[in-house]
Every structure is written in structure tokens, then in C-alpha cells.
Amino acid sequence: MTIQEAIQEYDDFRQQTRQTDSLQAIDNPLLHRIGETADALGLECYVVGGYVRDIILQRPSKDIDVVVVSPDKTPSPGIQLAQALAKALGKGAHVSVFRNFGTAQLKWHEHEVEFVGARRESYNRDSRKPIVEDGTLDDDLHRRDFTINALAVCLNEAKFGHFIDLFDGLLDLEDGIIATPLDPDITFSDDPLRMMRCIRFATQLRFQIEEETAEALKRNAERIKIISQERIIDELNKIMMTPSPSIGFIELSRSGLLPLILPEVAALEGVESRNGKAHKDNFYHTLEVLDNVASNEASLWLRWAALLHDIGKPRSKRWDNTAGWTFHNHNYIGQKMVTPLFRRMKLPMDERMNYVEKLVGLHMRPIAIADDEVTDSAVRRLLFEAGEDIDDLMRLCEADITSKNREKKQRFLQNFQLVREKLIDLQARDNYRTWHNPITGEEIMETYALQPCREIGILKQAVKDAIWDSVIPNDHDAAFQFMLQKAKELGLEPVKACERHAST
Ligand code: CTP
């Protein structure tokens, strides 16, 4: 069968008709060029993996992976083909060679093509380390992760477009199934990262994980520990960036991977009840919040804030005979958990982490405001603390309202609207995002001939509160007068020069 026929079969199954230009993804000049160059060198070559899968699924396909087979077993045929192709393409083509791996990468305009010799892996009885040797195309496809990623299309001119599908990957694409070509225990044990990839593809493509494969995930979960954090986080972030990340997190939990990679999130799962009162399952609530922000095309870091917003809950959970279950200060406890989590997971420890920390710490504030009367001063304080991230904080808080009680949900959303209107109004009025106290510590010290002491802090705070609660206007003179009055109450007397200053 040709790739065009495979696409036709897929389209018939889906009862869809494709535009002819999307059929041309495989019939492109660069792929023909690769085939012609390989012909001249006496090599066989195939485009494999994600590129073929994505062409059939009609997803935008990025990097091209080419497997090269040398019938007379010349070493490193991938490198040989890449170099010859770069020569043929001339200016603008650039090759990087990775001799240790027998691979080469060619960049040409917007294209990136990876060339690799077909490989075969065999296991030495005394060692878990595989011996990688040159192999045939079949050998190479057998060692790939999933049936849908083990498809190949021949690029040599005589058989251009010939479709190779040893494990019924096309059927799995039609049925929406993730399954391994070999016994899944072998596939996952060869490279345990594939367990994360399995869940990532299931989430990205909204595919089901085949039963045997799902069972093998549970059996092999512990082996994820040998994989580097960087590779794990890469897959996790891909799950996070899908339209419904909850699919992935449910699979991570089901497979037993979640407690191993994100125990803080796994700990949210479960419901406890006492005297007939149960709290909600904070894991599923968190996933709803995450999906809510994702449906608004949130950034990766807003998604992380959503995932972590309640991680302080298990540690703050208490039972109170009158109030029932409480989670006091879970936002602050959660905020403190962000840095160690980012450090452990090798997430960036820079302003992106500060942002997540800030949102986790502040996520209860808009709710508290909206639950009560929405006053100027409360909104102003929020604006000051959230700064540039106020809009994202509001998005997180709106996403956090997952109550099934429609009236309650409506009331919160209406009050949030009020908070948002006040925010716009206040920003226009006094720009509190970059607010500075008009009274500085130096000025207080000068006025009262003081050395640094706690009274200075008390006075500054009193001025801040008075401005933010609209007791006095936000200007220096009013603030200075107010400060003099407060200082008097504390028993402070200004030195003469400053009395003059006060009267000007
Ligand atoms: N592959 C594999 N095992 C891995 C990683 C990759 O078998 N742990 C194989 C698969 O055949 C995969 C191909 O290598 O299709 C290319 O890998 P990669 O570029 O990482 O993934 P894609 O499938 O192309 O998907 P994406 O670009 O979405 O990551």
C-alpha cells in the first residue's frame, strides 16, 4: 500500500475527505531529494515515526526522521546520506554530525531532518545494557515505542511513497489506540521514559491506552526513577500544554506514576468523611481548575499555578466540630512548597517560579473579597500585591470556582466581575501597581531625629493603611500631616526644623 492509500483508508474510516494539498506533505521536493541522493549512494531510506503519524492524523508535522539502511553494511549510513545531501543542496544546508550515536542532523531553510542508521538492539545475558548494532528496517521498527510511531514510508525513487506498517499502526490510528509493538514490559523497560510518552500521546491525541499496555505501565512505574528529571519534565510540560491536561493526570494517577514524580499533587487525591461530612476530592477539583485555565489557552506557568494552587491542602487539613473540614492557610503552606518542588523537578528557578509562588499564595484573596463586600481598599491591596500578574490571578480564581451549586457559582462570578471592574477603575485612578509610600523612613528619621527603630515601621504602615482605606488622599502633604498626628499618639515630638517643613 502507498501512503496515499493509507491516508485514503484513514479518511474513509473517519468519513472525511482531505484537501489535496495536505496529501502533498509526503510528496514534497525535499523528501524526493533525500531519496535521489540515497539512490546515488546505494542506500535505502525511509521517513519514519512522528512525521508519518502526523501526516495521517493531519496534524502539523515538524521534524523529519529518516532511517537509512546500508545493504552492504557500510558503517554510519545516516551520516553518509546527510553529508551527501548537504552537498547536493549546496548553500544554506548545514549538517551536525553526532558520531557516537551514528546520527546526523541537517538544517535546510525551515526544515530539520534527523538521519540515523537502522538499528537493532540485543541484550547481553550478563548486563541490562543493550548492545546496539546496525540492523534492517524491520529491526529498527521493532524497537520503536508505539505502533502509531512505528510507521515508515520509503523515499527511494523506485518505491517512493510505499507504506510500511508491521504492527497495524494504521488501525490503531483509526481506532485511537496507544499500544506498543512488542510486549509492553520490554518496550517500557528498554526506555522507561516511554511510559510518560504513552500518557502524553494519549492526552495530546485523546487516544485510549490499550489494556495490556496500561497494565504494563502499573508494573513498570517504579522504573521511572532511572530517568532524568529533565526528560520527565519535558513530557509533563507537553501534557500540561494540551487542551485537557486532566486526561494525562488521571492516567498518571492510574498508572502509579504520579506519586513518584509529583507526590504533592498525588496527595490531593481522596475524600475523608467524619460525622457524615465529607470534603471534596481536591485532586479532581485541581484537574477541573487546570482544564478550566487550559480551555482559555493559558501559558504553561498559569497552568502550573493551577496544578499547584491547592498543594497546601493535605498539610493544612483539620477537622473542626462546628466548622467541619478546614484548610486554613493552605495557600501560604502551598506557596512555601513551590520552591522545593521546582528545585526537585528541575523547573526554572527564576521569575517563572516566583510567578507560580505568587499566584498560589494569593489565590484565596479575590475569593475572600468577592465573598464579602467589594471595597476599594481590599481591591487596592490585591492590586498592589499581585502587580503585573493581577489578570492571571483573576483568571486562576475564576477557574477555581468549580462549585456544582449553580447559584453559588453565579454569585461568585458576578462578584468577580465587580472586582474586575473596580480593578480597571482603580488602575485608571491611582495606578496602585507601582505605588510607593509618599512617606519614607528617612523622612521620619529626619523629622524626629531618630535612629532606625520599630516606630518608623509603625508610622509607615499607618500611612499606607490610611491611603489604601481612603482615609486620606494619596499625596505627600496629607500623608505628612497624618504621620505627625500618629507620631504624637506614639509620644514622638518633631524637631523644630521639621515643624517648619510640616507647615509648608
Ligand atoms: N522513539 C522511541 N522511543 C522514545 C523516543 C522516540 O521509540 N523514547 C521513536 C518513535 O518512533 C518516535 C520517533 O522516535 O516517533 C521520534 O521521536 P520524537 O521526535 O521524540 O517524537 P515524535 O513521535 O516525533 O513526536 P513529538 O514530535 O510529538 O515528540
Side-chain angles (χ1 to χ4, degrees), residues 49-50 53 62 65 144-145 149 191 194 197 200 238:
R53 174 199 70 217
K62 310 163 282 154
D65 287 307
R144 290 185 177 263
D145 53 3
N149 286 346
D191 178 2
R194 288 170 170 172
R197 285 173 59 89
R200 189 254 290 186
K238 286 183 180 166

Side-chain angles (χ1 to χ4, degrees), residues 300-359:
L300 177 61
W301 305 105
L302 181 51
R303 289 168 198 238
W304 269 100
L307 181 69
L308 303 183
H309 80 284
D310 272 348
I311 50 169
K313 276 194 169 169
R315 288 190 196 171
S316 65
K317 185 164 100 173
R318 299 279 179 276
W319 169 259
D320 181 291
N321 279 333
T322 39
W325 293 106
T326 65
F327 300 92
H328 291 311
N329 289 333
H330 74 270
N331 48 322
Y332 300 121
I333 295 171
Q335 182 179 13
K336 290 213 177 76
M337 292 165 72
V338 172
T339 303
L341 187 149
F342 265 57
R343 183 176 298 121
R344 187 191 73 235
M345 298 212 72
K346 301 244 160 59
L347 282 162
M349 307 216 30
D350 54 17
E351 73 285 348
R352 290 168 283 191
M353 179 184 75
N354 299 339
Y355 163 91
V356 174
E357 244 175 6
K358 184 201 271 185
L359 262 56

Side-chain angles (χ1 to χ4, degrees), residues 48-51 53-54 59 62-63 65 143-146 149-150 191 193-194 197 200-201 204 231 235 238:
V48 292
Y51 190 79
R53 174 199 70 217
D54 287 342
R59 293 173 86 223
K62 310 163 282 154
D63 310 347
D65 287 307
R143 49 176 286 282
R144 290 185 177 263
D145 53 3
F146 305 111
N149 286 346
D191 178 2
L193 183 75
R194 288 170 170 172
R197 285 173 59 89
R200 189 254 290 186
F201 284 121
Q204 275 182 334
R231 294 180 78 203
E235 292 298 329
K238 286 183 180 166

